Amino acid sequence: MSTESEPPKVQEEVDSSSQSISKKAAKKEAAKKAKEERRKEAEAAASAASALSIEEEGPLANNYGDVPLQELQSVNDPQTGKWSEAVSGREWTEVGALNGSLKDQEVLIRGRVHTTRPVGNKLAFVVVRERVSTVQCLATVKPDSVSKEMVRFVRSLSNESIVDVIGVVSVPDVEIKGATQQVEVQIKKLYCVSRAAKTPITIEDASRSEAEIEKASKLPRVNQDTRLNNRVIDIRTLANQGIFRIQSQVGNIFRQFLLSENFVEIHTPKLIAGSSEGGSAVFRLDYKGQSACLAQSPQLHKQMSICGDFGRVFETGPVFRAEDSYTHRHLCEFTGLDVEMEIKKHYSEVMDIVDCLFVTIFDSLNNVCKKELEAVAKQYPFEPLKYKPKTLRLTFEEGVQMLKDAGVEIDPLGDLNTESERKLGQLVLEKYGTEFYILHRYPLAVRPFYTMPCHDNSLYSNSFDVFIRGEEIISGAQRIHIPEFLAERAQACGIDVKTISTYIDSFRYGAPPHGGFGVGLERVVMLFCGLNNIRKTSLYPRDPLRIAP
């Protein structure tokens, strides 16, 4: 970059530059003031609440207030303070477990203040939220438990503050529309464990569906970048809580199923000497003076593990792709679910595992995650995934023929583009009634260097992709296990054999026929839930434009 001074600019450009700098400075100053205002608001709210507690004397004053730090430092002595004494020896009840069977029973719950609504001086409603569940609580003035000052304290609570509530469960005669639980908690005691400052975005705004926003045009829409910039707030919404609990269940069933099928879980390095997939989409870095890459997949090492006599292996871990892809379905870092296994006779054995594994995952999600799926569908409406107990399999040639019959011209030896994949998904749904299917025998030219060619036609390969709702989620194949043939294929794909010599050498000492597949966890959840962007299913997404938070 040149360090020479630039020639003088015309006055208009200088003025424009000055105005731009002034605007940036003003924006920065406004942000600074807003931050200071939020801090003062939080301090004022805390002071007001503290004053309320101090104003009142007598036994009712012990039924509410802010919990001092000393009591929250894991002190076991119940005599430390009023909160410690109130909760000592009690069992906690999850908000999601509150139902009519607990009628007239006293419970202790913890959650965030979702909303508050005062009704005069003697009554206040507060909706308490814990994960994907909410419950309506009532603070009503009662001579033996709730004072006017306590109602004022409840009204002073800021949204997102964390509170402990002790109260009696009641069952109202009418439906409660503002909470998931169809019971109420009549508050007897309430303590604020952590006060929240004013949030940059509100949970109410971040939880609205597109239909709600369009119906009431004045309602604010929280855009994607704003959500991701304030992710710690955004992931508190019921829909996001549902999304990431569904994601957790996918990972859980993935692991349980494969362990039950005699697979061994492994953990492979993410710093490697050469490209694991070929091509230029790799993150390169200096490794103690040597050139290194972040692994594009655990492909090479999971194959080496098969050669090490593990028989069947799987891994869950980060995958890195340095692609400049600004699409709804690509990330620079995602969570890979990878499988590799010996093949006894035919690569269809790998597809058999894919079939049983994903049908098991889908069945589990539908049975175990009903509440989470409802939370997601409320904000992001979607139709349940259509799939069959035995997964449909089509050859690549059959898929191409279906497209041609529908008037879509496809290169028979090329790959399918995004539009073709979607169109084929539509045709498969119409003809076979499923949104989940396997397409196999892909052209060899569009697969990685380690893919085994078909025995009857070397233009095709023993490989497959798997699709949900017209989008690819899985790529798999039988691998080449003959070292000489592997080196030949690597060179043909432009890969420096020296950078993968350790990988190739691992096949020189006897290697069984084997194959496997890889799937992106975020993409599975995105498509199962019918979401329109993979960033919705990545907790803290990394794409070409985002590396924070």
Side-chain angles (χ1 to χ4, degrees):
M1 181 181 294
S2 174
T3 58
E4 293 181 12
S5 60
E6 295 288 340
K9 305 291 184 183
V10 295
Q11 188 61 42
E12 288 83 353
E13 292 178 326
V14 173
D15 291 343
S16 176
S17 177
S18 299
Q19 288 173 7
S20 176
I21 293 170
S22 298
K23 286 180 181 178
K24 288 180 180 179
K27 191 174 181 181
K28 187 175 181 181
E29 184 63 26
K32 186 177 179 182
K33 286 182 179 179
K35 185 176 180 181
E36 180 65 17
E37 286 174 5
R38 288 196 296 269
R39 184 186 66 79
K40 288 180 179 179
E41 286 175 2
E43 289 179 353
S47 299
S50 178
L52 284 171
S53 302
I54 295 170
E55 282 176 13
E56 186 174 8
E57 296 181 358
L60 298 188
N62 291 328
N63 292 346
Y64 66 96
D66 290 275
V67 183
L69 174 61
Q70 181 185 1
E71 293 189 63
L72 298 170
Q73 291 179 295
S74 300
V75 179
N76 291 323
D77 183 5
Q79 302 302 317
T80 304
K82 55 187 180 183
W83 170 80
S84 299
E85 185 177 352
V87 303
S88 180
R90 291 179 179 269
E91 290 189 5
W92 300 84
T93 301
E94 291 192 356
V95 169
L98 296 174
N99 55 48
S101 68
L102 297 174
K103 183 180 179 181
D104 298 329
Q105 293 186 34
E106 192 170 277
V107 294
L108 167 62
I109 62 173
R110 172 174 289 178
R112 291 188 181 275
V113 175
H114 192 59
T115 58
T116 56
R117 181 167 61 89
V119 182
N121 296 323
K122 296 184 178 181
L123 174 64
F125 290 89
V126 55
V127 175
V128 174
R129 186 184 78 246
E130 184 183 34
R131 297 187 282 277
V132 296
S133 304
T134 53
V135 65
Q136 183 167 271
C137 304
L138 286 76
T140 308
V141 171
K142 296 176 182 177
D144 60 338
S145 58
V146 180
S147 64
K148 285 185 178 180
E149 286 76 11
M150 180 171 171
V151 172
R152 287 170 58 199
F153 176 81
V154 172
R155 292 168 57 181
S156 77
L157 294 168
S158 55
N159 288 353
E160 297 307 297
S161 294
I162 298 174
V163 294
D164 288 345
V165 176
I166 297 173
V168 177
V169 176
S170 63
V171 182
D173 296 329
V174 295
E175 179 187 358
I176 302 173
K177 296 182 178 180
T180 63
Q181 308 309 113
Q182 293 305 301
V183 297
E184 292 180 329
V185 176
Q186 306 296 325
I187 298 173
K188 295 179 70 174
K189 298 181 179 182
L190 185 148
Y191 305 96
C192 185
V193 176
S194 175
R195 280 193 175 262
K198 186 177 181 181
T199 55
I201 58 175
T202 69
I203 299 299
E204 184 179 14
D205 290 343
S207 299
R208 290 195 185 97
S209 67
E210 282 298 312
E212 289 173 318
I213 295 171
E214 290 174 5
K215 188 176 180 180
S217 58
K218 292 184 179 180
L219 291 176
R221 174 187 276 107
V222 183
N223 66 39
Q224 183 172 273
D225 281 338
T226 301
R227 289 178 181 278
L228 297 180
N229 290 338
N230 300 280
R231 195 60 159 160
V232 71
I233 307 297
D234 182 49
I235 56 178
R236 296 178 188 177
T237 65
L238 298 187
N240 278 330
Q241 286 289 308
I243 286 169
F244 293 106
R245 292 175 193 283
I246 290 167
Q247 186 182 94
S248 174
Q249 183 68 0
V250 172
N252 183 34
I253 298 303
F254 176 79
R255 178 176 285 106
Q256 288 182 7
F257 176 87
L258 293 173
L259 289 174
S260 73
E261 294 290 328
N262 297 318
F263 281 78
V264 176
E265 184 170 13
I266 61 173
H267 305 283
T268 63
K270 305 308 166 197
L271 286 169
I272 61 174
S275 168
S276 50
E277 294 283 348
S280 58
V282 294
F283 288 104
R284 303 189 184 278
L285 63 143
D286 177 77
Y287 185 74
K288 302 295 183 180
Q290 303 177 62
S291 176
C293 302
L294 292 177
Q296 294 167 291
S297 80
Q299 184 59 51
L300 312 186
H301 290 93
K302 66 180 183 177
Q303 283 189 258
M304 290 167 70
S305 299
I306 296 300
C307 294
D309 286 351
F310 281 103
R312 293 181 156 195
V313 299
F314 73 93
E315 179 176 15
T316 300
V319 174
F320 303 91
R321 301 286 171 88
E323 296 174 309
D324 288 328
S325 296
Y326 302 88
T327 75
H328 73 284
R329 64 177 187 166
H330 287 96
L331 292 170
C332 290
E333 179 184 352
F334 62 89
T335 302
L337 307 177
D338 277 271
V339 171
E340 202 73 18
M341 56 184 278
E342 286 187 17
I343 292 174
K344 300 299 184 183
K345 186 172 176 61
H346 196 277
Y347 80 98
S348 62
E349 295 164 27
V350 183
M351 291 189 284
D352 291 341
I353 289 292
V354 171
D355 182 351
C356 294
L357 169 62
F358 278 86
V359 169
T360 300
I361 288 174
F362 299 154
D363 286 346
S364 174
L365 293 180
N366 287 328
N367 292 328
V368 178
C369 298
K370 290 179 180 178
K371 195 166 188 176
E372 289 79 4
L373 289 168
E374 287 173 3
V376 176
K378 186 175 181 181
Q379 183 169 0
Y380 306 112
F382 69 95
E383 290 294 323
L385 179 71
K386 295 179 177 66
Y387 62 98
K388 294 184 176 295
K390 181 66 177 176
T391 303
L392 172 70
R393 300 181 193 182
L394 298 170
T395 66
F396 186 84
E397 291 171 285
E398 289 172 329
V400 168
Q401 189 60 52
M402 287 179 68
L403 288 167
K404 285 184 176 180
D405 292 343
V408 181
E409 286 301 319
I410 296 292
D411 179 356
L413 296 178
D415 206 352
L416 298 181
N417 59 30
T418 301
E419 291 181 6
S420 299
E421 289 178 349
R422 287 177 180 166
K423 182 62 177 178
L424 183 58
Q426 178 188 334
L427 296 172
V428 168
L429 177 60
E430 291 172 357
K431 185 174 182 178
Y432 299 100
T434 182
E435 295 175 292
F436 178 70
Y437 69 96
I438 299 172
L439 193 66
H440 66 108
R441 279 180 63 102
Y442 266 72
L444 182 64
V446 301
R447 306 305 282 198
F449 74 93
Y450 46 74
T451 304
M452 180 69 78
C454 286
H455 73 285
D456 58 343
N457 188 339
S458 60
L459 292 176
Y460 291 91
S461 62
N462 294 347
S463 63
F464 60 89
D465 278 358
V466 184
F467 297 84
I468 295 180
R469 301 186 197 269
E471 293 196 33
E472 178 252 316
I473 61 159
I474 299 173
S475 186
Q478 179 180 355
R479 324 299 187 185
I480 296 172
H481 62 283
I482 307 300
E484 295 78 14
F485 190 18
L486 193 60
E488 179 186 322
R489 287 290 303 145
Q491 287 179 325
C493 291
I495 296 173
D496 185 353
V497 177
K498 293 179 182 178
T499 65
I500 56 171
S501 59
T502 304
Y503 165 65
I504 293 177
D505 287 345
S506 66
F507 297 97
R508 299 189 188 282
Y509 312 106
H514 61 278
F517 60 89
V519 53
L521 174 60
E522 293 86 352
R523 195 175 289 187
V524 172
V525 178
M526 176 186 78
L527 294 172
F528 184 84
C529 294
L531 298 169
N532 63 1
N533 198 301
I534 199 167
R535 290 156 188 80
K536 286 185 170 72
T537 57
S538 177
L539 194 59
Y540 302 104
R542 296 291 179 261
D543 60 30
L545 299 176
R546 180 171 292 278
I547 197 170

